Amino acid sequence: MLPFLLLLLLSALTPASAWIPVEDWESGNVTTSVGESGQCLCHVYLPETIFPVDRVQHMQQVSKDLILEVDIQLNKIEGYQGKLEVYLRELADLSLRVTMLESSADSYIKLDFEMLRIELREFEALVSQLKESLNSSSPVFNSLYTEIRNMTLIVNQLETYDKSNLQVIRIEFAKLQKKLEECQKEQEYIEPDIGNCNHTGILSISKPLVGQLNAHLSPGYQYGGWGKDSKPVRGTESMYWYGAYSGPYVHDFYQYADYEKLLLRSNSKYHDLAWSGFGNNYIVRGNTMYYQINNPFSMSKLNLTSSAKDYRVIPSASQKFSYSYSDNQNLDFAADETGLWVMYASEESKGKIVLAKIDEKSFGIEDAISTGVYKQRAGNAFMACGVMYVTRPVDVTTEEIFYAFDSKTREEKNLSIRFPKFQEKYFNLDYNPTDQKLYMYNNGYYVSYNVRFNKE
């Protein structure tokens, strides 16, 4: 019997041209023996040139693949069965809720009906998904669709009997909406305590208020700055300044009597700078513009009334270190409730920011303090109540105040005060103590923020 089965296997796997008659087999290729139970065993050795080993291996692999595919399909069917049981339970629950609505429709509000409609739509989508997954057109699915449509019609009909309740709900919703709007306004804007530093630092930054595109009305003017005088002379309290350029240099400047004229680009006062500046980290204080020049590398100032100008070299300041958004931002001027400041990095500080107080009368450095933050890590920095706050980008739409240094106590700390940006890059950020706002020139746009301090 065994030789016969062996011949059948060989006939199925071996081409006719590979057959060798039995009488031609060598005696060394066939051996016989008796098994433990007394059965006759026949052993045949076939060289690979005769027996198709590769075809046998291929059939074994195909068999394994088929078994795996069957297991996958069985698992899918089990999963679909579980989903169907869940859907049927949900359908039963919906049916019960619709029955309850039919019995006492006047005790339910519009929100109940709307929630039912949403759930019915979701259930219909789930049934469609299951039908496509099973690739079936079974009457069970048609019955489910019919049930869902019928329940949707009942819900729509029942809602029409609830008009009196709906009118009451609308009135209550209107009251609630008004309260929410009032609460939102209180959260978005808190009246600042101008000039008062009775707080422990910045608590949060508001959402950005975007004025408009720059006065040149061109997105090509990405560099620049805008804001208010941090110490206005009498009669110029409402004045705004603005400058914008296509590169990191500063060559002219505009003043507007108030915010409306800034937006309308009307009645501006033009200033042509005799000494071109760089870096865009300039400010206006006491009707004087403070900015950086590179020849010689120094801090410079221009009186906007008399056009008188002056400069001072800071021996330790270096041109090697700038903020991450732009080159040439070596000297960053800032003003707050405590006075006028300039921030820079030096070789001695190994690229870390040096905070220096400026004597406004002599236009010299009054005091210089080394801090612990690298300037090239920062997006920008500003001063508020004697504290230096340093920012960095989180992503293309978010900025973060991550470091603070108190000039009085010489203490530093890490922060995480995040606020949104209108555009990815900005080249001027300054705090103004007269209205306690941040002014940002954000890739060509006027942007401002309300600053909220921790009063506790």
Side-chain angles (χ1 to χ4, degrees):
M1 184 64 179
L2 185 59
F4 176 72
L5 293 175
L6 182 59
L7 290 173
L8 285 178
L9 178 61
L10 290 173
S11 64
L13 300 177
T14 308
S17 60
W19 275 100
I20 298 177
V22 175
E23 56 270 19
D24 293 341
W25 290 0
E26 297 180 5
S27 59
N29 293 339
V30 181
T31 60
T32 59
S33 63
V34 178
E36 295 178 357
S37 302
Q39 73 271 27
C40 182
L41 301 176
C42 180
H43 305 277
V44 180
Y45 168 74
L46 294 176
E48 289 197 8
T49 55
I50 298 174
F51 189 79
V53 177
D54 56 340
R55 295 180 62 191
V56 173
Q57 292 175 342
H58 175 69
M59 290 181 65
Q60 289 176 337
Q61 185 62 44
V62 171
S63 176
K64 290 180 181 178
D65 293 342
L66 288 174
I67 292 173
L68 180 60
E69 183 63 27
V70 169
D71 289 340
I72 292 173
Q73 295 301 325
L74 288 174
N75 290 334
K76 282 186 178 180
I77 292 174
E78 291 177 1
Y80 294 146
Q81 184 178 0
K83 287 184 179 179
L84 184 58
E85 292 176 357
V86 173
Y87 297 159
L88 290 175
R89 286 196 298 269
E90 291 182 357
L91 181 60
D93 179 65
L94 285 173
S95 301
L96 178 62
R97 291 168 64 187
V98 171
T99 303
M100 294 172 62
L101 280 173
E102 287 182 294
S103 62
S104 56
D106 57 343
S107 63
Y108 288 83
I109 63 173
K110 184 177 179 61
L111 187 59
D112 293 312
F113 294 109
E114 187 60 32
M115 290 299 295
L116 273 174
R117 271 195 291 266
I118 293 173
E119 291 181 23
L120 286 168
R121 286 195 295 268
E122 292 178 350
F123 190 77
E124 184 175 2
L126 290 172
V127 173
S128 299
Q129 180 183 4
L130 184 61
K131 182 178 179 181
E132 292 177 359
S133 300
L134 292 175
N135 193 19
S136 172
S137 58
S138 170
V140 175
F141 294 108
N142 296 330
S143 176
L144 285 173
Y145 280 125
T146 303
E147 287 290 333
I148 292 170
R149 294 191 186 96
N150 288 341
M151 283 194 290
T152 302
L153 290 174
I154 293 172
V155 171
N156 291 335
Q157 291 173 359
L158 289 173
E159 188 179 12
T160 61
Y161 301 130
D162 200 31
K163 292 181 180 178
S164 60
N165 285 346
L166 286 177
Q167 184 61 29
V168 175
I169 295 299
R170 289 192 187 99
I171 294 174
E172 293 300 320
F173 271 128
K175 292 180 181 178
L176 179 60
Q177 184 177 9
K178 185 176 180 180
K179 289 181 180 179
L180 289 174
E181 289 175 353
E182 292 174 354
C183 181
Q184 185 178 12
K185 289 180 181 178
E186 291 178 1
Q187 292 293 328
E188 289 181 352
Y189 180 74
I190 298 177
E191 187 68 29
D193 190 3
I194 305 301
N196 189 343
C197 290
N198 295 328
H199 53 73
T200 58
I202 293 177
L203 183 64
S204 63
I205 305 295
S206 73
K207 295 179 180 179
L209 175 62
V210 182
Q212 67 171 34
L213 189 62
N214 57 72
H216 292 81
L217 299 180
S218 171
Y221 288 81
Q222 299 179 5
Y223 298 84
W226 80 295
K228 295 185 69 176
D229 193 320
S230 62
K231 188 181 178 182
V233 298
R234 182 172 297 180
T236 64
E237 292 85 358
S238 300
M239 184 271 293
Y240 282 80
W241 54 265
Y242 155 76
Y245 324 96
S246 58
Y249 44 81
V250 183
H251 54 77
D252 57 8
F253 201 70
Y254 297 84
Q255 285 179 291
Y256 296 87
D258 52 43
Y259 185 67
E260 181 180 357
K261 289 182 174 57
L262 171 74
L263 297 183
L264 295 175
R265 308 183 305 282
S266 64
N267 299 326
S268 64
K269 183 178 181 181
Y270 176 75
H271 300 275
D272 187 2
L273 303 184
W275 297 340
S276 294
F278 291 86
N280 308 122
N281 279 307
Y282 47 86
I283 63 167
V284 175
R285 180 173 176 84
N287 204 39
T288 299
M289 177 183 177
Y290 294 87
Y291 65 106
Q292 168 190 326
I293 61 174
N294 282 5
N295 189 23
F297 175 59
S298 58
M299 57 182 187
S300 175
K301 69 175 183 178
L302 172 67
N303 187 296
L304 299 176
T305 301
S306 64
S307 297
K309 53 187 180 293
D310 198 0
Y311 73 90
R312 290 290 186 276
V313 173
I314 305 176
S316 62
S318 173
Q319 290 180 270
K320 293 183 179 180
F321 308 101
S322 181
Y323 291 134
S324 61
Y325 286 123
S326 175
D327 296 331
N328 300 301
Q329 291 185 306
N330 310 118
L331 302 180
D332 182 9
F333 295 90
D336 65 356
E337 293 83 354
T338 65
L340 180 65
W341 305 84
V342 62
M343 294 166 282
Y344 58 89
S346 66
E347 298 284 353
E348 292 81 0
S349 71
K350 298 181 180 179
K352 293 182 179 180
I353 295 178
V354 176
L355 175 62
K357 185 73 175 291
I358 298 177
D359 187 320
E360 295 182 58
K361 292 183 178 180
S362 65
F363 193 38
I365 299 300
E366 183 178 312
D367 189 19
I369 312 166
S370 296
T371 70
V373 62
Y374 288 97
K375 186 171 185 181
Q376 292 174 320
R377 285 185 59 199
N380 217 292
F382 62 91
M383 296 293 297
C385 287
V387 178
M388 180 184 73
Y389 294 93
V390 185
T391 71
R392 65 182 174 189
V394 177
D395 52 44
V396 295
T397 60
T398 309
E399 195 78 0
E400 176 187 52
I401 300 174
F402 75 99
Y403 177 88
F405 181 87
D406 192 321
S407 62
K408 294 181 181 178
T409 63
R410 309 293 172 97
E411 294 179 352
E412 58 183 357
K413 59 181 177 180
N414 296 319
L415 304 173
S416 181
I417 303 174
R418 297 188 174 188
F419 57 97
K421 294 180 289 189
F422 180 66
Q423 299 280 335
E424 178 181 1
K425 294 183 178 181
Y426 64 92
F427 303 109
N428 187 293
L429 179 68
D430 273 300
Y431 167 79
N432 194 298
T434 67
D435 55 11
Q436 293 191 323
K437 288 185 177 183
L438 282 178
Y439 289 88
M440 174 190 288
Y441 189 76
N442 196 178
N443 208 22
Y445 286 84
Y446 306 140
V447 180
S448 63
Y449 299 86
N450 290 317
V451 180
R452 183 181 180 186
F453 293 97
N454 188 357
K455 301 292 184 180
E456 296 181 0

PDB file of all heavy atoms in Angstrom, residues 73-97:
ATOM      1  N   GLN A  73     -10.083  36.264   8.231  1.00  0.00           N
ATOM      2  CA  GLN A  73     -11.484  36.445   7.872  1.00  0.00           C
ATOM      3  C   GLN A  73     -12.397  36.024   9.018  1.00  0.00           C
ATOM      4  O   GLN A  73     -13.429  36.653   9.274  1.00  0.00           O
ATOM      5  CB  GLN A  73     -11.800  35.653   6.594  1.00  0.00           C
ATOM      6  CG  GLN A  73     -11.060  36.143   5.364  1.00  0.00           C
ATOM      7  CD  GLN A  73     -11.365  37.599   5.063  1.00  0.00           C
ATOM      8  OE1 GLN A  73     -12.488  38.067   5.270  1.00  0.00           O
ATOM      9  NE2 GLN A  73     -10.356  38.314   4.573  1.00  0.00           N
ATOM     10  N   LEU A  74     -12.033  34.934   9.732  1.00  0.00           N
ATOM     11  CA  LEU A  74     -12.839  34.498  10.872  1.00  0.00           C
ATOM     12  C   LEU A  74     -12.839  35.553  11.983  1.00  0.00           C
ATOM     13  O   LEU A  74     -13.874  35.811  12.612  1.00  0.00           O
ATOM     14  CB  LEU A  74     -12.306  33.157  11.396  1.00  0.00           C
ATOM     15  CG  LEU A  74     -12.577  31.913  10.517  1.00  0.00           C
ATOM     16  CD1 LEU A  74     -11.867  30.700  11.090  1.00  0.00           C
ATOM     17  CD2 LEU A  74     -14.075  31.637  10.394  1.00  0.00           C
ATOM     18  N   ASN A  75     -11.672  36.149  12.202  1.00  0.00           N
ATOM     19  CA  ASN A  75     -11.592  37.208  13.215  1.00  0.00           C
ATOM     20  C   ASN A  75     -12.449  38.407  12.835  1.00  0.00           C
ATOM     21  O   ASN A  75     -13.080  39.043  13.684  1.00  0.00           O
ATOM     22  CB  ASN A  75     -10.137  37.651  13.409  1.00  0.00           C
ATOM     23  CG  ASN A  75      -9.305  36.588  14.100  1.00  0.00           C
ATOM     24  OD1 ASN A  75      -9.826  35.771  14.845  1.00  0.00           O
ATOM     25  ND2 ASN A  75      -7.998  36.594  13.845  1.00  0.00           N
ATOM     26  N   LYS A  76     -12.457  38.756  11.525  1.00  0.00           N
ATOM     27  CA  LYS A  76     -13.292  39.867  11.059  1.00  0.00           C
ATOM     28  C   LYS A  76     -14.765  39.582  11.318  1.00  0.00           C
ATOM     29  O   LYS A  76     -15.520  40.433  11.771  1.00  0.00           O
ATOM     30  CB  LYS A  76     -13.061  40.107   9.563  1.00  0.00           C
ATOM     31  CG  LYS A  76     -11.783  40.846   9.238  1.00  0.00           C
ATOM     32  CD  LYS A  76     -11.734  41.159   7.758  1.00  0.00           C
ATOM     33  CE  LYS A  76     -10.476  41.951   7.410  1.00  0.00           C
ATOM     34  NZ  LYS A  76     -10.422  42.263   5.962  1.00  0.00           N
ATOM     35  N   ILE A  77     -15.173  38.348  11.000  1.00  0.00           N
ATOM     36  CA  ILE A  77     -16.572  37.989  11.196  1.00  0.00           C
ATOM     37  C   ILE A  77     -16.944  38.077  12.672  1.00  0.00           C
ATOM     38  O   ILE A  77     -18.012  38.575  13.035  1.00  0.00           O
ATOM     39  CB  ILE A  77     -16.829  36.569  10.640  1.00  0.00           C
ATOM     40  CG1 ILE A  77     -16.696  36.577   9.100  1.00  0.00           C
ATOM     41  CG2 ILE A  77     -18.212  36.068  11.052  1.00  0.00           C
ATOM     42  CD1 ILE A  77     -16.789  35.222   8.479  1.00  0.00           C
ATOM     43  N   GLU A  78     -16.030  37.605  13.559  1.00  0.00           N
ATOM     44  CA  GLU A  78     -16.294  37.718  14.988  1.00  0.00           C
ATOM     45  C   GLU A  78     -16.408  39.177  15.417  1.00  0.00           C
ATOM     46  O   GLU A  78     -17.256  39.539  16.233  1.00  0.00           O
ATOM     47  CB  GLU A  78     -15.181  37.019  15.766  1.00  0.00           C
ATOM     48  CG  GLU A  78     -15.183  35.505  15.600  1.00  0.00           C
ATOM     49  CD  GLU A  78     -14.013  34.851  16.325  1.00  0.00           C
ATOM     50  OE1 GLU A  78     -13.238  35.599  16.956  1.00  0.00           O
ATOM     51  OE2 GLU A  78     -13.885  33.616  16.279  1.00  0.00           O
ATOM     52  N   GLY A  79     -15.524  40.030  14.855  1.00  0.00           N
ATOM     53  CA  GLY A  79     -15.592  41.455  15.183  1.00  0.00           C
ATOM     54  C   GLY A  79     -16.887  42.076  14.705  1.00  0.00           C
ATOM     55  O   GLY A  79     -17.526  42.860  15.414  1.00  0.00           O
ATOM     56  N   TYR A  80     -17.310  41.766  13.472  1.00  0.00           N
ATOM     57  CA  TYR A  80     -18.560  42.302  12.946  1.00  0.00           C
ATOM     58  C   TYR A  80     -19.751  41.828  13.775  1.00  0.00           C
ATOM     59  O   TYR A  80     -20.704  42.571  14.016  1.00  0.00           O
ATOM     60  CB  TYR A  80     -18.754  41.871  11.501  1.00  0.00           C
ATOM     61  CG  TYR A  80     -17.734  42.456  10.550  1.00  0.00           C
ATOM     62  CD1 TYR A  80     -17.277  41.751   9.446  1.00  0.00           C
ATOM     63  CD2 TYR A  80     -17.218  43.728  10.772  1.00  0.00           C
ATOM     64  CE1 TYR A  80     -16.340  42.275   8.587  1.00  0.00           C
ATOM     65  CE2 TYR A  80     -16.272  44.277   9.922  1.00  0.00           C
ATOM     66  CZ  TYR A  80     -15.837  43.544   8.828  1.00  0.00           C
ATOM     67  OH  TYR A  80     -14.903  44.081   7.983  1.00  0.00           O
ATOM     68  N   GLN A  81     -19.691  40.580  14.235  1.00  0.00           N
ATOM     69  CA  GLN A  81     -20.764  40.057  15.063  1.00  0.00           C
ATOM     70  C   GLN A  81     -20.861  40.845  16.364  1.00  0.00           C
ATOM     71  O   GLN A  81     -21.951  41.181  16.829  1.00  0.00           O
ATOM     72  CB  GLN A  81     -20.528  38.568  15.352  1.00  0.00           C
ATOM     73  CG  GLN A  81     -21.673  37.918  16.153  1.00  0.00           C
ATOM     74  CD  GLN A  81     -21.436  36.430  16.373  1.00  0.00           C
ATOM     75  OE1 GLN A  81     -20.421  35.902  15.922  1.00  0.00           O
ATOM     76  NE2 GLN A  81     -22.343  35.770  17.050  1.00  0.00           N
ATOM     77  N   GLY A  82     -19.684  41.175  16.964  1.00  0.00           N
ATOM     78  CA  GLY A  82     -19.688  41.965  18.186  1.00  0.00           C
ATOM     79  C   GLY A  82     -20.254  43.355  17.961  1.00  0.00           C
ATOM     80  O   GLY A  82     -21.037  43.867  18.769  1.00  0.00           O
ATOM     81  N   LYS A  83     -19.847  43.995  16.826  1.00  0.00           N
ATOM     82  CA  LYS A  83     -20.373  45.325  16.499  1.00  0.00           C
ATOM     83  C   LYS A  83     -21.886  45.271  16.324  1.00  0.00           C
ATOM     84  O   LYS A  83     -22.617  46.151  16.782  1.00  0.00           O
ATOM     85  CB  LYS A  83     -19.721  45.859  15.231  1.00  0.00           C
ATOM     86  CG  LYS A  83     -18.287  46.303  15.396  1.00  0.00           C
ATOM     87  CD  LYS A  83     -17.767  46.899  14.099  1.00  0.00           C
ATOM     88  CE  LYS A  83     -16.337  47.381  14.259  1.00  0.00           C
ATOM     89  NZ  LYS A  83     -15.820  47.950  12.993  1.00  0.00           N
ATOM     90  N   LEU A  84     -22.363  44.241  15.625  1.00  0.00           N
ATOM     91  CA  LEU A  84     -23.794  44.130  15.353  1.00  0.00           C
ATOM     92  C   LEU A  84     -24.569  44.007  16.657  1.00  0.00           C
ATOM     93  O   LEU A  84     -25.636  44.602  16.817  1.00  0.00           O
ATOM     94  CB  LEU A  84     -24.056  42.920  14.445  1.00  0.00           C
ATOM     95  CG  LEU A  84     -25.500  42.709  13.987  1.00  0.00           C
ATOM     96  CD1 LEU A  84     -25.996  43.940  13.241  1.00  0.00           C
ATOM     97  CD2 LEU A  84     -25.627  41.466  13.118  1.00  0.00           C
ATOM     98  N   GLU A  85     -24.025  43.255  17.627  1.00  0.00           N
ATOM     99  CA  GLU A  85     -24.699  43.119  18.924  1.00  0.00           C
ATOM    100  C   GLU A  85     -24.777  44.462  19.639  1.00  0.00           C
ATOM    101  O   GLU A  85     -25.793  44.807  20.244  1.00  0.00           O
ATOM    102  CB  GLU A  85     -23.956  42.092  19.780  1.00  0.00           C
ATOM    103  CG  GLU A  85     -24.063  40.653  19.257  1.00  0.00           C
ATOM    104  CD  GLU A  85     -23.219  39.695  20.080  1.00  0.00           C
ATOM    105  OE1 GLU A  85     -22.526  40.181  20.998  1.00  0.00           O
ATOM    106  OE2 GLU A  85     -23.265  38.487  19.803  1.00  0.00           O
ATOM    107  N   VAL A  86     -23.664  45.252  19.548  1.00  0.00           N
ATOM    108  CA  VAL A  86     -23.678  46.587  20.162  1.00  0.00           C
ATOM    109  C   VAL A  86     -24.706  47.475  19.499  1.00  0.00           C
ATOM    110  O   VAL A  86     -25.478  48.189  20.164  1.00  0.00           O
ATOM    111  CB  VAL A  86     -22.278  47.229  20.077  1.00  0.00           C
ATOM    112  CG1 VAL A  86     -22.322  48.667  20.559  1.00  0.00           C
ATOM    113  CG2 VAL A  86     -21.281  46.433  20.905  1.00  0.00           C
ATOM    114  N   TYR A  87     -24.736  47.474  18.151  1.00  0.00           N
ATOM    115  CA  TYR A  87     -25.692  48.309  17.414  1.00  0.00           C
ATOM    116  C   TYR A  87     -27.130  47.932  17.744  1.00  0.00           C
ATOM    117  O   TYR A  87     -28.012  48.786  17.879  1.00  0.00           O
ATOM    118  CB  TYR A  87     -25.460  48.180  15.913  1.00  0.00           C
ATOM    119  CG  TYR A  87     -24.112  48.660  15.456  1.00  0.00           C
ATOM    120  CD1 TYR A  87     -23.564  48.246  14.241  1.00  0.00           C
ATOM    121  CD2 TYR A  87     -23.362  49.540  16.239  1.00  0.00           C
ATOM    122  CE1 TYR A  87     -22.312  48.675  13.826  1.00  0.00           C
ATOM    123  CE2 TYR A  87     -22.119  49.978  15.836  1.00  0.00           C
ATOM    124  CZ  TYR A  87     -21.599  49.536  14.627  1.00  0.00           C
ATOM    125  OH  TYR A  87     -20.370  49.968  14.213  1.00  0.00           O
ATOM    126  N   LEU A  88     -27.392  46.620  17.871  1.00  0.00           N
ATOM    127  CA  LEU A  88     -28.752  46.180  18.180  1.00  0.00           C
ATOM    128  C   LEU A  88     -29.163  46.651  19.573  1.00  0.00           C
ATOM    129  O   LEU A  88     -30.319  47.057  19.777  1.00  0.00           O
ATOM    130  CB  LEU A  88     -28.830  44.650  18.081  1.00  0.00           C
ATOM    131  CG  LEU A  88     -28.728  44.071  16.654  1.00  0.00           C
ATOM    132  CD1 LEU A  88     -28.695  42.554  16.697  1.00  0.00           C
ATOM    133  CD2 LEU A  88     -29.893  44.558  15.784  1.00  0.00           C
ATOM    134  N   ARG A  89     -28.222  46.633  20.541  1.00  0.00           N
ATOM    135  CA  ARG A  89     -28.545  47.137  21.879  1.00  0.00           C
ATOM    136  C   ARG A  89     -28.831  48.632  21.839  1.00  0.00           C
ATOM    137  O   ARG A  89     -29.749  49.119  22.496  1.00  0.00           O
ATOM    138  CB  ARG A  89     -27.396  46.843  22.842  1.00  0.00           C
ATOM    139  CG  ARG A  89     -27.294  45.376  23.254  1.00  0.00           C
ATOM    140  CD  ARG A  89     -26.416  45.212  24.494  1.00  0.00           C
ATOM    141  NE  ARG A  89     -25.054  45.647  24.249  1.00  0.00           N
ATOM    142  CZ  ARG A  89     -24.091  44.839  23.822  1.00  0.00           C
ATOM    143  NH1 ARG A  89     -24.353  43.560  23.565  1.00  0.00           N
ATOM    144  NH2 ARG A  89     -22.850  45.292  23.642  1.00  0.00           N
ATOM    145  N   GLU A  90     -28.018  49.376  21.060  1.00  0.00           N
ATOM    146  CA  GLU A  90     -28.249  50.820  20.932  1.00  0.00           C
ATOM    147  C   GLU A  90     -29.590  51.104  20.268  1.00  0.00           C
ATOM    148  O   GLU A  90     -30.302  52.042  20.636  1.00  0.00           O
ATOM    149  CB  GLU A  90     -27.115  51.454  20.133  1.00  0.00           C
ATOM    150  CG  GLU A  90     -25.781  51.467  20.873  1.00  0.00           C
ATOM    151  CD  GLU A  90     -24.689  52.144  20.074  1.00  0.00           C
ATOM    152  OE1 GLU A  90     -24.972  52.551  18.928  1.00  0.00           O
ATOM    153  OE2 GLU A  90     -23.564  52.265  20.597  1.00  0.00           O
ATOM    154  N   LEU A  91     -29.938  50.301  19.270  1.00  0.00           N
ATOM    155  CA  LEU A  91     -31.209  50.488  18.591  1.00  0.00           C
ATOM    156  C   LEU A  91     -32.368  50.231  19.545  1.00  0.00           C
ATOM    157  O   LEU A  91     -33.377  50.952  19.538  1.00  0.00           O
ATOM    158  CB  LEU A  91     -31.294  49.553  17.371  1.00  0.00           C
ATOM    159  CG  LEU A  91     -32.574  49.654  16.535  1.00  0.00           C
ATOM    160  CD1 LEU A  91     -32.729  51.065  15.989  1.00  0.00           C
ATOM    161  CD2 LEU A  91     -32.567  48.640  15.402  1.00  0.00           C
ATOM    162  N   ALA A  92     -32.221  49.215  20.398  1.00  0.00           N
ATOM    163  CA  ALA A  92     -33.268  48.932  21.374  1.00  0.00           C
ATOM    164  C   ALA A  92     -33.415  50.094  22.346  1.00  0.00           C
ATOM    165  O   ALA A  92     -34.535  50.469  22.727  1.00  0.00           O
ATOM    166  CB  ALA A  92     -32.943  47.641  22.117  1.00  0.00           C
ATOM    167  N   ASP A  93     -32.289  50.696  22.763  1.00  0.00           N
ATOM    168  CA  ASP A  93     -32.339  51.838  23.670  1.00  0.00           C
ATOM    169  C   ASP A  93     -33.022  53.029  23.018  1.00  0.00           C
ATOM    170  O   ASP A  93     -33.828  53.722  23.636  1.00  0.00           O
ATOM    171  CB  ASP A  93     -30.916  52.201  24.094  1.00  0.00           C
ATOM    172  CG  ASP A  93     -30.891  53.401  25.017  1.00  0.00           C
ATOM    173  OD1 ASP A  93     -31.413  53.297  26.132  1.00  0.00           O
ATOM    174  OD2 ASP A  93     -30.345  54.452  24.608  1.00  0.00           O
ATOM    175  N   LEU A  94     -32.687  53.287  21.730  1.00  0.00           N
ATOM    176  CA  LEU A  94     -33.335  54.381  21.011  1.00  0.00           C
ATOM    177  C   LEU A  94     -34.831  54.142  20.882  1.00  0.00           C
ATOM    178  O   LEU A  94     -35.644  55.064  21.012  1.00  0.00           O
ATOM    179  CB  LEU A  94     -32.700  54.533  19.623  1.00  0.00           C
ATOM    180  CG  LEU A  94     -31.316  55.193  19.570  1.00  0.00           C
ATOM    181  CD1 LEU A  94     -30.755  55.116  18.167  1.00  0.00           C
ATOM    182  CD2 LEU A  94     -31.401  56.633  20.008  1.00  0.00           C
ATOM    183  N   SER A  95     -35.211  52.908  20.614  1.00  0.00           N
ATOM    184  CA  SER A  95     -36.636  52.588  20.483  1.00  0.00           C
ATOM    185  C   SER A  95     -37.372  52.880  21.781  1.00  0.00           C
ATOM    186  O   SER A  95     -38.485  53.425  21.788  1.00  0.00           O
ATOM    187  CB  SER A  95     -36.804  51.118  20.091  1.00  0.00           C
ATOM    188  OG  SER A  95     -36.156  50.842  18.871  1.00  0.00           O
ATOM    189  N   LEU A  96     -36.745  52.529  22.909  1.00  0.00           N
ATOM    190  CA  LEU A  96     -37.360  52.783  24.203  1.00  0.00           C
ATOM    191  C   LEU A  96     -37.515  54.274  24.452  1.00  0.00           C
ATOM    192  O   LEU A  96     -38.555  54.733  24.944  1.00  0.00           O
ATOM    193  CB  LEU A  96     -36.497  52.150  25.301  1.00  0.00           C
ATOM    194  CG  LEU A  96     -36.977  52.364  26.749  1.00  0.00           C
ATOM    195  CD1 LEU A  96     -38.359  51.738  26.945  1.00  0.00           C
ATOM    196  CD2 LEU A  96     -35.970  51.752  27.734  1.00  0.00           C
ATOM    197  N   ARG A  97     -36.489  55.066  24.105  1.00  0.00           N
ATOM    198  CA  ARG A  97     -36.571  56.517  24.324  1.00  0.00           C
ATOM    199  C   ARG A  97     -37.629  57.165  23.454  1.00  0.00           C
ATOM    200  O   ARG A  97     -38.339  58.077  23.874  1.00  0.00           O
ATOM    201  CB  ARG A  97     -35.195  57.143  24.065  1.00  0.00           C
ATOM    202  CG  ARG A  97     -34.175  56.745  25.122  1.00  0.00           C
ATOM    203  CD  ARG A  97     -32.779  57.121  24.714  1.00  0.00           C
ATOM    204  NE  ARG A  97     -32.630  58.568  24.601  1.00  0.00           N
ATOM    205  CZ  ARG A  97     -31.539  59.156  24.128  1.00  0.00           C
ATOM    206  NH1 ARG A  97     -30.522  58.404  23.730  1.00  0.00           N
ATOM    207  NH2 ARG A  97     -31.458  60.456  24.069  1.00  0.00           N
TER     208      ARG A  97
END
